[in-house]
C-alpha cells in the first residue's frame, strides 16, 4: 500500500513538472503560474516588456526536457531529476555585451551625444539581432526539481537558483558575469 501511495505522489509531482515545461514552451506564463511562481523564473516582477519577452522566446524556443527519475523525500516533497535543454544564453549575452560596448565606445566622443532614447533603441536593436539568430546553440543541464504538495493539495515546483539557471539556459550566470565585468572595469 505504501508503494502505491509513493507512485501516486511521483505521478502528481511529474505532472506538475510536465505542465510547467509545456506552459513555458508555449510562452503561457499564466498557465505556468499554476505549477511554479513565475516571478522566481523571470525575475521581471513587473509587466513583461518587449525585451524580456524576446529573451523568454529565445530561451524557450529550444526548450526540451526529460524526466530521469523521481524520489520521494516525504509525503509532501518529491525531487524530480530532470535533464533540461534550453538556448545557451551565455554566447547570446556575450555577443550583446561586445556589440553594446562597441556602440558605446564609438559614440563616447561623438557630438552631439545620442539621447537616452536613441541609446535604448540601439541597445534593443542589438539585443534583437543577437537573440534572433537562427540555430542558436543549446545547453543541457541535469537538475533536481523540488516539487512540494501545498496546503491546497496541489503540487508546485520550488524554483531554486540551479533550476532557474538551467531553465533559462545559463542566463543567470551570464548576467552575473556581465555584472562582474562591469564592476571590474570601474
Amino acid at each position: 500500500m505504501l508503494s502505491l501511495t509513493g507512485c501516486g505522489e511521483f505521478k502528481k509531482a511529474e505532472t506538475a513538472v510536465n505542465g510547467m515545461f509545456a506552459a513555458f514552451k508555449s510562452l503561457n506564463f499564466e498557465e505556468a503560474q499554476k505549477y511554479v511562481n513565475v516571478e522566481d523564473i523571470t525575475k521581471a516582477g513587473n509587466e513583461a516588456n518587449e525585451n524580456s519577452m524576446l529573451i523568454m522566446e529565445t530561451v524557450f524556443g529550444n526548450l526540451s526536457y526529460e524526466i530521469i527519475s523521481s524520489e520521494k523525500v516525504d509525503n509532501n516533497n518529491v525531487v524530480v531529476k530532470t535533464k533540461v535543454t534550453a538556448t545557451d544564453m551565455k554566447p547570446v549575452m556575450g555577443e550583446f555585451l561586445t556589440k553594446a560596448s562597441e556602440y558605446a565606445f564609438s559614440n563616447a566622443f561623438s557630438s552631439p551625444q545620442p539621447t537616452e532614447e536613441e541609446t535604448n533603441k540601439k541597445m534593443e536593436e542589438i539585443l534583437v539581432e543577437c537573440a534572433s539568430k537562427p540555430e542558436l546553440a543549446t545547453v543541457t543541464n541535469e537538475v533536481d526539481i523540488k516539487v512540494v504538495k501545498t496546503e491546497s493539495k496541489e503540487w508546485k515546483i520550488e524554483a531554486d537558483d540551479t533550476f532557474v539557471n538551467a531553465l533559462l539556459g545559463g542566463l543567470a550566470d551570464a548576467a552575473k558575469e556581465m555584472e562582474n565585468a562591469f564592476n571590474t572595469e570601474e
Side-chain angles (χ1 to χ4, degrees):
M1 189 66 124
L2 256 158
S3 64
L4 290 176
T5 304
C7 289
E9 289 163 345
F10 290 158
K11 186 173 178 70
K12 290 175 184 174
E14 289 177 1
T15 297
V17 170
N18 288 324
M20 177 200 59
F21 278 108
F24 280 133
K25 281 183 69 75
S26 64
L27 300 174
N28 186 340
F29 299 109
E30 189 175 313
E31 180 69 17
Q33 188 67 37
K34 294 178 184 178
Y35 306 105
V36 66
N37 182 348
V38 174
E39 284 186 26
D40 290 343
I41 307 299
T42 63
K43 296 293 185 202
N46 303 324
E47 291 182 34
N49 62 34
E50 288 180 33
N51 289 341
S52 64
M53 275 310 291
L54 173 66
I55 296 291
M56 293 299 121
E57 288 170 2
T58 301
V59 170
F60 296 143
N62 292 315
L63 184 64
S64 64
Y65 70 100
E66 175 189 347
I67 293 176
I68 298 168
S69 64
S70 296
E71 179 182 335
K72 180 179 171 182
V73 177
D74 57 37
N75 288 337
N76 296 318
N77 296 281
V78 173
V79 173
V80 181
K81 184 176 284 303
T82 308
K83 192 181 295 185
V84 179
T85 300
T87 301
D88 189 352
M89 292 303 291
K90 283 185 179 182
V92 172
M93 296 311 290
E95 181 181 6
F96 169 75
L97 179 60
T98 299
K99 290 184 176 197
S101 297
E102 288 170 358
Y103 171 78
F105 186 71
S106 70
N107 287 296
F109 303 107
S110 67
S111 183
Q113 288 284 305
T115 65
E116 183 177 347
E117 186 178 300
E118 291 170 331
T119 300
N120 289 341
K121 186 175 185 330
K122 183 63 176 178
M123 292 300 123
E124 190 173 305
E125 289 171 9
I126 293 170
L127 181 60
V128 167
E129 177 187 335
C130 296
S132 300
K133 290 184 173 185
E135 299 181 31
L136 292 170
T138 60
V139 61
T140 301
N141 292 288
E142 198 170 289
V143 293
D144 291 336
I145 301 174
K146 184 177 180 185
V147 188
V148 178
K149 188 186 329 180
T150 64
E151 289 180 14
S152 59
K153 307 291 186 215
E154 297 174 334
W155 288 84
K156 285 198 97 164
I157 287 99
E158 282 191 358
D160 65 14
D161 291 344
T162 303
F163 167 65
V164 171
N165 196 50
L167 182 67
L168 298 179
L171 185 61
D173 285 348
K176 283 179 193 170
E177 289 172 12
M178 286 175 64
E179 183 179 325
N180 290 339
F182 283 122
N183 289 339
T184 304
E185 291 175 9
E186 291 177 358

